[in-house]
Amino acid sequence: MARATSVFICSACGTEAAKWHGQCPGCGAWNTLAEEARAPAARRGGGGGAGRAVKPVPLSAVQAPRHARLATGIGELDRILGGGLVPGSLVLIGGSPGIGKSTLTSMALGNLQGAGRRTLYVSGEESAAQIRLRAERLPGAALDVPVVAETDLDAVLATLDAERPEVCVIDSVQTLHAADLTSAAGSVGQVREVADRITRLAKARGIAVLLVGHVTKEGALAGPRVLEHLVDCVLQFEGERERTYRTLRALKNRFGSTNEAGVFEMAGGGLVEVADASARFVGEATRAPGSVVLAAMEGSRPLLVEVQALVNPSEIIPPRRIANGIDRNRLALVLAVLGRHAGVGVGSADVFVNVAGGVRVDEPGADLAVALAVASAQRGVVAGDGERPIACFGELGLSGELRSVAHPDRREAEARKFGLTPVISPDGAKTLRAALRAALPSQPSARAA
Ligand SMILES: Nc1ncnc2c1ncn2[C@@H]1O[C@H](COP(=O)(O)OP(=O)(O)OP(=O)(O)O)[C@@H](O)[C@H]1O
Ligand SMILES: [Mg+2]
């Protein structure tokens, strides 16, 4: 059989080059050429004359068998997937090193194996012995999962074809290597080739594949963007390695909503679903200046999280503006509105804002919580009555007005469940000034003093 050759394609303009140049010969861009395998005579044709015509079929005549979804037995994961894994689908799970990607996928395979499904764990990162050590601390049938430690793509594809698992984990897509390409494993061309060939086999054999992917320093999924287009579902595992809480959310889902997210906790026995995360966060909330509770939305579920702020005189110019769990630009906006429209200037003080528990909140509804936490810290007063934390949500407009956000009823109901009433929201307070009057007593409290 003729061996595939490789060419280099410019990701900016599509120019083809026979060998690697630092600069694209077509558009002149630097470092845009990525290697791609090409079978001899494939994709040549030109002019549309060489291909075989195919007959279009009306959609109503297409056979679409309904395959039952495969439940991974991890409630939060199944919910995020839209009810379990779809046979023949590809799910990409991204997350920073040590966050728990291998643990989550091993647990899912263990549960599936225990439920009588054929599974396979392919690891290019760890030896079989390392995988066993992890599986020993996991529940279910994690130790019964067949495993191969392999990095050669052809060997992995041949194994999949021979074993015909119903569900397979590839850990990770960046470690597999296609022998046709000379570039190193993990390079753009390699990742694209690996994902493309696994996709074709998975679709043809009906294997549900969980692809583990690395993330870049900025937190985006590493590898070409095309990888996200190729797969059916992209899940992001977030949180800080040092903290116990991790959030799993769907960034893309061809078979369900992308509004779902789940909270996990890393424990000795693997990842534990945190069914009532609000109760944990409210229970841990401090009653000190600079602390408020945000009624946030994690997908379609309300979640109460503590937002903390610290305002401290600084010797440094410019002063520090540190945001953990919220967008840094959003913090800058809130500080500007606080100063301009609510008379709470932080001047040259350092400002630190933190969402407790390592949770990340990416929604404008967090603005009011950040503003109240900073104002409470700056004035040295405890928000609310000092007994219970105060709950709030709402977006800040640039002229100091409060703007409504999605699902106010669900947010209020969640806060009520924990006795956090009244909730400061755009429904009651129309401006940031009004919200501050409602949330903060005018004098520093005895506890704060
Ligand atoms: N016995 C244990 N109890 C609690 N946590 C543990 C235990 N053993 C390992 N961990 C935690 O599990 C995490 C590693 O999980 P895992 O290997 O699944 O991560 P990963 O995302 O696959 O990492 P990588 O990117 O390196 O492959 C670490 O943060 C570690 O602290
Ligand atoms: Mg891993």
Side-chain angles (χ1 to χ4, degrees):
M1 204 179 81
R3 194 169 161 71
T5 54
S6 62
V7 292
F8 292 84
I9 311 282
C10 173
S11 54
C13 71
T15 298
E16 204 176 296
K19 51 182 189 173
W20 194 84
H21 306 268
Q23 190 178 19
C24 168
C27 66
W30 287 93
N31 299 323
T32 51
L33 291 177
E35 195 182 15
E36 201 166 273
R38 181 158 292 186
R43 300 184 220 173
R44 301 267 164 88
R52 171 179 58 90
V54 283
K55 181 125 186 75
V57 198
L59 276 176
S60 56
V62 174
Q63 300 288 320
R66 298 259 180 274
H67 293 296
R69 294 201 182 217
L70 304 162
T72 65
I74 303 173
E76 297 283 274
L77 176 61
D78 286 335
R79 194 171 51 78
I80 294 161
L81 287 170
L85 283 166
V86 174
S89 69
L90 256 88
V91 177
L92 178 64
I93 301 186
S96 26
I99 198 84
K101 303 177 294 295
S102 306
T103 307
L104 184 74
T105 49
S106 296
M107 286 174 70
L109 280 199
N111 292 345
L112 284 157
Q113 183 75 28
R117 300 289 183 179
R118 289 191 313 281
T119 65
L120 180 66
Y121 192 99
V122 179
S123 179
E125 298 204 331
E126 295 166 300
S127 66
Q130 282 175 303
I131 303 164
R132 186 203 155 110
L133 288 178
R134 177 184 304 104
E136 278 177 1
R137 72 178 175 102
L138 301 182
L143 279 171
D144 300 334
V145 174
V147 44
V148 288
E150 181 56 68
T151 54
D152 178 48
L153 176 64
D154 290 321
V156 169
L157 292 175
T159 311
L160 283 178
D161 212 14
E163 299 293 325
R164 297 284 170 96
E166 291 167 270
V167 188
C168 162
V169 168
I170 310 274
D171 189 3
S172 65
V173 66
Q174 274 87 2
T175 52
L176 292 199
H177 182 263
D180 306 340
L181 306 183
T182 50
S183 49
S187 62
V188 173
Q190 283 281 0
V191 170
R192 188 163 49 185
E193 180 72 6
V194 167
D196 185 45
R197 286 173 62 190
I198 290 176
T199 309
R200 274 187 275 150
L201 185 76
K203 301 272 177 215
R205 303 278 182 262
I207 308 170
V209 180
L210 287 159
L211 277 180
V212 174
H214 295 169
V215 294
T216 60
K217 233 174 28 216
E218 291 74 38
L221 272 157
R225 193 86 194 164
V226 71
L227 190 58
E228 291 179 41
H229 291 292
L230 204 69
V231 300
D232 299 301
C233 188
V234 179
L235 305 183
Q236 179 90 332
F237 214 6
E238 294 168 351
E240 289 163 40
R241 213 174 9 177
E242 309 76 37
R243 317 272 192 98
T244 51
Y245 297 115
R246 280 110 214 256
T247 319
L248 184 70
R249 65 179 92 234
L251 304 184
K252 160 183 173 174
N253 192 352
R254 284 189 180 143
F255 311 113
S257 151
T258 47
N259 281 333
E260 296 301 340
V263 181
F264 290 89
E265 189 178 13
M266 183 59 92
L271 287 159
V272 184
E273 300 160 52
V274 181
D276 203 348
S278 291
R280 298 269 190 105
F281 295 137
V282 171
E284 290 167 6
T286 42
R287 319 277 187 274
S291 165
V292 298
V293 167
L294 161 68
M297 292 301 292
E298 274 291 355
S300 59
R301 281 196 316 184
L303 176 70
L304 302 180
V305 288
E306 183 189 6
V307 176
Q308 296 183 324
L310 176 69
V311 179
N312 205 33
S314 176
E315 306 291 312
I316 301 172
I317 300 172
R320 279 173 289 201
R321 302 285 184 252
I322 310 286
N324 277 322
I326 60 154
D327 182 32
R328 202 163 171 265
N329 293 329
R330 215 66 213 174
L331 171 61
L333 181 147
V334 170
L335 293 181
V337 175
L338 264 175
R340 188 79 177 81
H341 297 291
V344 183
V346 288
S348 58
D350 285 336
V351 178
F352 303 87
V353 173
N354 186 33
V355 182
V359 178
R360 185 158 185 89
V361 191
D362 264 328
E363 58 152 340
D367 289 355
L368 181 59
V370 175
L372 293 184
V374 170
S376 154
Q378 197 265 358
R379 291 189 188 165
V381 295
V382 180
D385 59 11
E387 294 304 316
R388 293 159 308 152
I390 197 155
C392 61
F393 64 88
E395 180 181 353
L396 279 191
L398 290 185
S399 30
E401 81 278 17
L402 280 189
R403 310 181 79 104
S404 21
V405 288
H407 308 299
D409 303 343
R410 282 192 226 171
R411 295 175 198 253
E412 293 219 12
E414 185 75 357
R416 256 199 317 275
K417 210 164 100 187
F418 294 94
L420 308 186
T421 47
V423 180
I424 315 281
S425 75
D427 272 351
K430 298 295 169 210
T431 62
L432 177 58
R433 262 185 200 281
L436 282 171
R437 271 198 303 275
L440 299 180
S442 45
Q443 293 303 313
S445 69
R447 293 183 71 148

